[in-house]
């Protein structure tokens, strides 16, 4: 049975998931710091083995970012990503109680937009905003 836990992944779990989807490992101290500074995370387990995770980073009242939504390949297309997104959205509702105008961003990878559209996200273009940018130096 798949179990969803509202907790940070461990450094080992984080690197395992990232490697599984081809994003590679990061040095332990870098991951440790990132997880320490994360607002909220959900992890999916199959019999205590991690199979997915998703995080919210941000400042709690003005800006939130959804990051690192991962389901390992063997478990994809089984609605595990959906369940984790629903957990994140429940948590976002709590932040919205403090500031209903809070902005929630997601930097979707190319081709993943459709997945996020199911949860109400729209592209910046459709929101009449400029393209999202990333520092490339
Ligand atoms: C993207 C990802 C998180 C989706 O999780 P998942 O558990 O496989 O997806 P679900 O089974 O919950 O799918 C939910 C819906 O989204 C759709 N969907 C899932 N992945 C999609 C994709 N890449 N493109 C378009 N639609 C997608 C499914 O078809 C499904 O649609 P339905 O409700 O009409 O049946 C997962 O495939 C993954 O981890 N991929 C590799 C890492 C990655 O790219 N993460 C996203 C970074 S932006």
């Amino acid at each position: 049975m798949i179990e969803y836990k509202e907790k940070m992944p461990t450094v080992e779990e984080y690197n395992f998931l990232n490697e599984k989807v081809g994003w590679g490992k990061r040095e332990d101290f870098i991951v440790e710091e990132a997880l320490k500074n994360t607002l909220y995370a959900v992890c999916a387990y199959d019999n205590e083995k991690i199979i997915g995770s998703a995080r919210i980073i941000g400042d709690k009242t003005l800006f939130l970012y959804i990051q690192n939504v991962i389901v390992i390949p063997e478990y994809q297309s089984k609605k595990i990503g959906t369940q984790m997104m629903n957990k994140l959205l429940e948590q976002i509702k709590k932040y919205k109680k403090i500031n209903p105008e809070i902005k929630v961003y997601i930097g979707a990878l190319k081709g993943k937009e459709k997945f996020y559209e199911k949860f109400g996200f729209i592209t910046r273009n459709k929101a009449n905003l400029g393209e999202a940018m990333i520092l490339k130096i």
Side-chain angles (χ1 to χ4, degrees):
M1 198 190 70
I2 310 296
E3 222 188 324
Y4 297 91
K5 297 185 187 173
E6 293 179 282
K7 66 180 274 291
M8 293 300 144
T10 64
V11 171
E12 293 71 30
E13 288 173 335
Y14 180 90
N15 272 328
F16 166 77
L17 294 171
N18 277 266
E19 279 211 296
K20 277 289 221 173
V21 295
W23 295 347
K25 270 174 84 139
R26 299 285 189 284
E27 279 193 69
D28 284 6
F29 81 95
I30 290 178
V31 177
E32 201 175 306
E33 189 66 18
L35 296 175
K36 201 172 79 191
N37 291 310
T38 295
L39 291 180
Y40 173 89
V42 59
C43 295
Y45 292 89
D46 185 9
N47 283 320
E48 307 299 321
K49 179 197 159 199
I50 193 145
I51 55 163
S53 182
R55 305 194 282 145
I56 300 173
I57 59 173
D59 60 21
K60 282 190 187 173
T61 53
L62 286 171
F63 300 105
L64 300 174
Y65 289 81
I66 290 180
Q67 291 292 150
N68 284 149
V69 183
I70 302 177
V71 178
I72 64 173
E74 308 89 290
Y75 287 85
Q76 286 173 9
S77 305
K78 296 176 192 291
K79 303 284 181 218
I80 295 164
T82 299
Q83 297 287 345
M84 293 196 306
M85 281 298 294
N86 286 336
K87 287 270 185 209
L88 299 190
L89 292 169
E90 274 171 33
Q91 182 64 25
I92 286 165
K93 265 193 205 155
K94 293 182 189 165
Y95 297 126
K96 273 194 181 261
K97 280 193 184 143
I98 308 167
N99 176 15
E101 304 298 318
I102 194 164
K103 297 273 183 301
V104 185
Y105 292 93
I106 187 140
L109 289 180
K110 228 184 182 75
K112 302 289 149 103
E113 299 88 343
K114 287 271 173 292
F115 173 70
Y116 296 109
E117 278 173 8
K118 292 180 183 293
F119 304 97
F121 288 86
I122 58 170
T123 58
R124 287 179 60 92
N125 185 34
K126 279 196 188 133
N128 207 20
L129 293 165
E131 274 194 60
M133 297 178 81
I134 187 161
L135 191 59
K136 208 73 179 144
I137 51 171

